[in-house]
Amino acid sequence: MRTPKGVILWVTAACAAVLLTLAVGAALQFLAADAEQRPQLIALAVQGAPAVFFGVAILMAAFGAGASWLYRRYPHAERQLAEQARSLLAADAGFRVAAAGAPPLAELAAAINQLADAYHRIEHDLEARSAETRARVEEERDRFAALMSELSQGVVVCNAAGRILLYNPRAAALLAPPQAGGHGDYTPLGLGRSVLALLDRNQVAHALDLLTHQLGTVDRPQASFVATAANGALLRVQVAAFVGADRRLAGLVFTLEDVGQLMGRESQRLRLLQSLATGVRGPVANLRAAAENLAAFPDMPADRRAQFVDIAVAEARTLTERLNTALLAYADALKGSLTLEDMRAADLLAVAQRRIGDTLQLPVAIEDVDAELWLRVDSYAIAHAMTFLAARLAGDYDLHGFRLRAGSGGGFGEVDLIWTGAIVGSDALSFWEGEPMRVGAEETPLTLRDVLERHGGEAWLQVDKIRQIQRFRLLLPKGQAAAPVPLRAAVESRPEYYDFDLFERIEVAGLLAERKLTELSYTVFDTETTGLEPSAGDEIISIGAVRIVNGRLLKQEVFEQLVNPRRPISKESTAIHGIDNRQVANEPTIEQVLPRFYRFCEDTVLVAHNAAFDMRFLELKEAATGVRFGQPVLDTLLLSAVVHPSLDNHHLDMIAERVGVRVIGRHTALGDALLTGEVFLRLIPLLAERGIVTLGQALEASRATYHARLQY
Amino acid sequence: MGQTRKVLIVDDEPNIVTALEFLLRRSGYEVRIATNGAEALAQVDSERPDLVLLDIMMPGKSGYEVCQRLRERPELAATKIVMLSAKGSEAEVNKGLSLGADLYITKPFSTQELVATIDRLFASGDGPAA
């Protein structure tokens, strides 16, 4: 540690003062002395001057050293300690203060270090605990999300303002886009979007009115309605409100169910009845007239008689035909009741296996199951019926276990309860069929016959005497495989079907330009085109887009559409994007696609790389499509130039490398949109470092950079 | 084929029994009649018919049950069973054939066609029963 300049100055000044005092003293002595003594004094002074200077120098050095020692030991050491103590909070956890100087200072340092130890211990504990809590919350959310994905009903949850916080894959499937393009009213399901746009606005609004009305008076406000989705599906929608601690509306839960099939079957039954009623009346009337004439007039002439007999025979034949035709045409309507659900046979067997095993404490094995087989069943009733049969068998015969099998037999599924050994009489089943099914404490008034009738099914006992194997065979209606859950496997990370942070987010009012980049919703998009000159007739052949909501790239909420450009695609451009004429031949035209894309990006800020190029194509279609993309547009190329003004290369790949985004799936519109989205998210904090936080600032900085770049 | 075939009609509906009996006799069959399941089983034992025309929906034992009982007895393996039913869903046909019926015919049917079918069944069968 060097002695500070102040101390050196101070010591120098003190020495100068001593010298000055000596000089003034000598001068006074000289003035006071006699004239003859003065030469003597001068000689003395000249003689003694070196000694005086030398003495003063020694004095100066000694004094300076002393002052420096004192400074270092006292005020400086204290200040140093204070500084170290201050940096304790910011420094590494291992950093401790060290005291130089007097013993009391060392004690103070030790006390400070003890406090630091205690502080770091608490801090460490807190961190560990909060990490644990975070992990638990994450796990719960994941579990919840997994649960949601498995539900057979569609679920959509929104906050009080109607912004969607959560939806499950089933909801996404039910509200999937219409098959052919060009449906103007379709708005895709997405996080942060308004729930009002999902279905008929008026119906949703009416349900919300009902709920709001119930709020103060009912515990669980609920409303329901049947609506048609844009894709034509007929949905039964149930809306339940949940209320916050302040008794005000906190959010809404929508459950969606496809009732088209149910309604379809119901109306089929009606049509069957109608066709029977009208189709049978005529022939029966004719038959009756002929038969009554024959009975009433036994003496009628032979040719007349023959005529009536012919009529009776012909009408009886017609009647038979009509009956058979009607029953054949509506065979499906007669199968099963309305409350049945489509279920994988393997799942039904697993449920039955567990129930029989748990109830009877006997081993139950699954012998064989057709993995492709779906049944239309009331799974509870069937599992209960199988358990009932197994219990009756085990009660009356000495059985050591059961095997289960499910396979396909013609238009039906066969579900077998199999056992070896005891031969059961053929009348056992017809006896048990009519009993209320009691298993342990669980009893239903239903009989096996009731359950089978409800399914349009049958059951019987089948015996293989040679192998001593017997089985109860249940014949149950086949079902339809449920629609596959979209996109699950294709996405690497956890599906992003929910975002509860949106829950708390207060709707930010005010100008878009003043809103923070981190809180806006974006649509990041890219197009592939037939060439580079839209004014020369080049056309869009593909649009890909992905949404960013609440700072997250929603890989589940994407737009991807090939477009028929109605002009040939050049070989050179096919070489870049791999799309050829054949691929787009049956795709919708830009006039059909743009309105859909417009709905996809409504209420968001657009983001694209080299956005001017893509926007030019969109603008040229405004007149033809009537769709104007008026929202603000951010360009990752320009934003990159804002962040790295000294660099020249702002190709998407280069920026991605610079900001640390892995490049995959380039040169498809969706692949590039995803990459641009990731790059954009990385650019936001880099912009913030430069004081660019709001949309307005980002737009302004982009404009400035654009002009700066033009000047080169 | 000089021997007269014996057919047992099992049905609780007298109208159809009358028509079938008339037609089968005219076609040269010997005809016996039972109006419920228990009666049917007793007549099979005493009369040993070559063919049983079996209605499914009967009071007491159903046609399915009678069919299953008959098929449990190996000595009756050659006895033909034709099921008649007013119900005719795929599941029921499936059940009937699984339980050992040779044919399953849904009402209403043409009586003449039924007799023709029975004739064919005997023609394709492997010789007369005991």
Side-chain angles (χ1 to χ4, degrees):
Chain A
M1 173 85 34
R2 290 221 336 246
T3 309
K5 273 189 191 138
V7 175
I8 297 170
L9 274 176
W10 193 71
V11 170
T12 314
C15 292
V18 170
L19 279 176
L20 193 67
T21 314
L22 285 175
V24 170
L28 286 176
Q29 189 109 37
F30 180 78
L31 288 176
D34 297 331
E36 59 270 26
Q37 279 177 316
R38 284 184 186 175
Q40 224 180 326
L41 276 176
I42 289 170
L44 195 68
V46 170
Q47 238 175 17
V52 169
F53 270 103
F54 189 64
V56 168
I58 288 176
L59 201 69
M60 256 174 75
F63 193 60
S68 179
W69 181 80
L70 276 174
Y71 175 82
R72 251 181 258 170
R73 193 166 165 81
Y74 291 102
H76 178 68
E78 279 156 25
R79 225 171 269 155
Q80 218 177 16
L81 185 59
E83 239 166 64
Q84 287 185 38
R86 266 197 294 276
S87 58
L88 262 179
L89 284 180
D92 289 345
F95 176 76
R96 289 292 178 271
V97 301
L105 225 46
E107 271 175 47
L108 184 59
I112 290 173
N113 282 340
Q114 274 170 2
L115 279 175
D117 287 344
Y119 168 76
H120 282 300
R121 231 179 0 255
I122 291 169
E123 194 185 43
H124 182 261
D125 284 357
L126 269 179
E127 222 159 77
R129 223 172 303 159
S130 78
E132 205 176 288
T133 313
R134 261 201 314 276
R136 207 165 46 227
V137 169
E138 281 284 299
E139 195 190 315
E140 271 168 23
R141 281 188 174 188
D142 284 355
R143 209 179 299 153
F144 179 65
L147 187 77
M148 278 295 183
S149 340
E150 295 309 318
L151 279 183
S152 63
Q153 283 178 321
V155 178
V156 177
V157 180
C158 70
N159 66 10
R163 296 268 163 219
I164 296 170
L165 317 170
L166 170 153
Y167 61 89
N168 66 354
R170 183 73 188 133
L174 288 174
L175 297 167
Q179 281 299 310
H183 205 295
D185 282 323
Y186 173 69
T187 301
L189 179 64
L191 293 182
R193 289 189 191 279
S194 168
V195 80
L196 280 175
L198 281 185
L199 298 160
D200 179 352
R201 256 165 217 274
N202 296 328
Q203 277 184 303
V204 179
H206 178 70
L208 296 189
D209 281 350
L210 279 178
L211 287 175
T212 322
H213 185 69
Q214 292 174 31
L215 263 185
T217 53
V218 182
D219 262 359
R220 276 160 203 249
Q222 273 199 345
S224 66
F225 56 93
V226 172
T228 313
N231 58 22
L234 194 62
L235 303 178
R236 185 192 291 135
V237 184
Q238 277 187 313
V239 196
F242 51 96
V243 179
D246 53 358
R247 307 288 306 151
R248 297 232 312 257
L249 185 71
L252 298 165
V253 183
F254 290 75
T255 42
L256 314 171
E257 230 179 320
D258 186 353
V259 289
Q261 238 182 17
L262 295 186
M263 300 270 191
R265 270 196 278 164
E266 184 61 11
S267 68
Q268 256 204 332
R269 284 176 187 215
L270 261 177
R271 279 204 296 274
L272 168 63
L273 266 179
Q274 276 163 355
S275 98
L276 278 182
T278 52
V280 164
R281 251 175 221 285
V284 168
N286 304 344
L287 189 59
R288 181 173 174 177
E292 281 173 358
N293 279 348
L294 286 173
F297 307 104
D299 54 344
M300 72 171 79
D303 56 337
R304 211 19 108 173
R305 186 181 179 78
Q307 202 181 0
F308 280 124
V309 168
D310 284 350
I311 290 174
V313 170
E315 292 299 342
R317 202 168 286 148
T318 310
L319 201 53
T320 307
E321 270 164 26
R322 295 236 167 126
L323 198 62
N324 285 342
T325 314
L327 288 174
L328 199 68
Y330 298 103
D332 278 346
L334 292 170
K335 267 188 210 167
S337 86
L338 300 182
T339 55
L340 306 181
E341 258 186 282
D342 289 330
M343 185 180 198
R344 219 184 273 281
D347 295 336
L348 180 66
L349 285 201
V351 172
Q353 180 187 30
R354 212 168 36 242
R355 283 212 50 195
I356 298 171
D358 288 353
T359 311
L360 304 180
Q361 298 299 318
L362 281 174
V364 181
I366 291 182
E367 183 179 282
D368 182 32
V369 59
D370 178 351
E372 302 291 310
L373 179 63
W374 285 72
L375 301 171
R376 178 164 294 157
V377 290
D378 173 345
S379 61
Y380 170 78
I382 294 294
H384 187 74
M386 291 174 76
T387 312
F388 165 74
L389 284 176
R392 297 292 282 161
L393 282 166
D396 291 1
Y397 302 87
D398 181 27
L399 297 177
H400 304 293
F402 292 99
R403 279 164 292 145
L404 304 176
R405 177 198 156 267
S408 184
F412 285 83
E414 302 167 347
V415 174
D416 293 349
L417 177 71
I418 309 166
W419 65 95
T420 312
I423 297 291
V424 176
S426 60
D427 51 350
L429 183 61
S430 42
F431 187 64
W432 294 338
E433 258 184 349
E435 277 182 26
M437 298 190 289
R438 195 175 64 212
V439 181
E442 228 175 312
E443 184 172 357
T444 65
L446 289 180
T447 64
L448 178 60
R449 181 107 306 271
D450 294 333
V451 171
L452 288 171
E453 253 163 38
R454 218 145 60 78
H455 285 81
E458 281 292 339
W460 65 86
L461 176 75
Q462 212 156 299
V463 190
D464 180 344
K465 276 196 178 149
I466 298 157
R467 292 193 297 152
Q468 295 244 311
I469 295 172
Q470 291 193 92
R471 64 185 73 207
F472 276 136
R473 168 157 295 176
L474 304 184
L475 215 55
L476 299 171
K478 276 186 180 174
Q480 276 181 344
V485 176
L487 262 176
R488 279 250 309 275
V491 177
E492 311 156 16
S493 63
R494 178 184 74 203
E496 283 139 347
Y497 293 120
Y498 64 84
D499 187 344
F500 288 113
D501 297 337
L502 289 169
F503 211 113
E504 301 302 330
R505 210 167 84 188
I506 311 147
E507 294 302 299
V508 189
L511 286 169
L512 207 54
E514 284 163 18
R515 291 186 48 186
K516 288 184 179 164
L517 291 173
T518 47
E519 68 186 21
L520 285 164
S521 297
Y522 303 92
T523 302
V524 191
F525 77 104
D526 184 54
T527 60
E528 302 292 340
T529 58
T530 56
L532 301 177
E533 283 175 64
S535 49
D538 276 324
E539 294 278 353
I540 293 175
I541 49 173
S542 166
I543 302 179
V546 59
R547 278 156 48 80
I548 293 178
V549 176
N550 216 13
R552 289 201 306 167
L553 193 68
L554 301 179
K555 292 180 186 162
Q556 250 95 6
E557 297 181 12
V558 297
F559 183 95
E560 190 173 25
Q561 180 66 58
L562 288 177
V563 183
N564 183 352
R566 287 171 297 189
R567 58 170 282 159
I569 305 170
S570 70
K571 284 216 171 66
E572 297 76 45
S573 90
T574 295
I576 295 174
H577 44 62
I579 301 170
D580 59 29
N581 290 310
R582 201 174 36 83
Q583 273 173 282
V584 296
N586 294 320
E587 297 295 339
T589 62
I590 195 73
E591 287 79 13
Q592 292 171 303
V593 172
L594 272 196
R596 272 182 50 210
F597 180 57
Y598 180 78
R599 298 297 294 227
F600 183 82
C601 31
E602 225 172 8
D603 294 333
T604 63
V605 173
L606 293 178
V607 178
H609 192 75
N610 196 7
F613 176 77
D614 303 278
M615 291 311 291
R616 186 90 192 96
F617 276 92
L618 298 185
E619 278 158 17
L620 278 175
K621 292 292 166 198
E622 269 175 22
T625 59
V627 168
R628 208 177 87 78
F629 291 84
Q631 56 263 72
V633 183
L634 286 174
D635 185 345
T636 43
L637 189 150
L638 295 180
L639 293 177
S640 164
V642 169
V643 170
H644 299 119
S646 56
L647 299 175
D648 278 338
N649 189 332
H650 297 289
H651 283 120
L652 189 54
D653 292 316
M654 284 304 293
I655 308 176
E657 200 174 292
R658 276 207 288 275
V659 298
V661 173
R662 198 160 56 102
V663 177
I664 39 168
R666 278 281 269 135
H667 292 305
T668 66
L670 181 59
D672 280 6
L674 284 165
L675 180 62
T676 308
E678 290 196 41
V679 164
F680 176 67
L681 284 176
R682 303 282 177 109
L683 285 173
I684 290 177
L686 298 177
L687 288 165
E689 280 174 18
R690 293 179 172 261
I692 296 162
V693 178
T694 65
L695 176 63
Q697 288 167 338
L699 288 170
E700 185 48 45
S702 301
R703 210 164 327 184
T705 308
Y706 177 66
H707 289 305
R709 285 168 67 83
L710 278 189
Q711 278 162 19
Y712 288 116
Chain B
M1 295 265 257
Q3 201 179 344
T4 313
R5 307 271 189 180
K6 200 184 277 180
V7 175
L8 172 64
I9 304 174
V10 189
D11 202 321
D12 59 330
E13 254 190 86
N15 287 354
I16 193 80
V17 170
T18 309
L20 285 175
E21 184 193 5
F22 173 76
L23 202 61
L24 283 169
R25 281 195 207 283
R26 289 284 290 257
S27 307
Y29 290 101
E30 208 174 306
V31 178
R32 297 287 177 274
I33 291 162
T35 54
N36 61 54
E39 219 175 279
L41 289 174
Q43 291 225 31
V44 168
D45 280 340
S46 58
E47 300 289 336
R48 287 300 166 111
D50 300 294
L51 184 141
V52 182
L53 266 182
L54 188 55
D55 182 43
I56 289 175
M57 301 257 283
M58 290 183 297
K61 274 189 174 37
S62 76
Y64 289 128
E65 227 182 304
V66 173
C67 176
Q68 197 158 20
R69 284 295 192 82
L70 297 182
R71 285 295 176 242
E72 277 169 11
R73 298 163 59 180
E75 76 273 18
L76 297 179
T79 307
K80 308 211 179 300
I81 301 176
V82 175
M83 281 191 161
L84 304 177
S85 172
K87 302 208 280 178
S89 83
E90 213 185 317
E92 285 151 335
V93 176
N94 205 323
K95 177 173 178 175
L97 298 180
S98 293
L99 291 179
D102 296 281
L103 266 180
Y104 187 108
I105 291 169
T106 309
K107 292 178 183 175
F109 49 81
S110 146
T111 40
Q112 267 138 349
E113 270 172 39
L114 175 67
V115 172
T117 307
I118 290 174
D119 290 343
R120 272 203 301 280
L121 207 56
F122 280 125
S124 69
D126 7 312

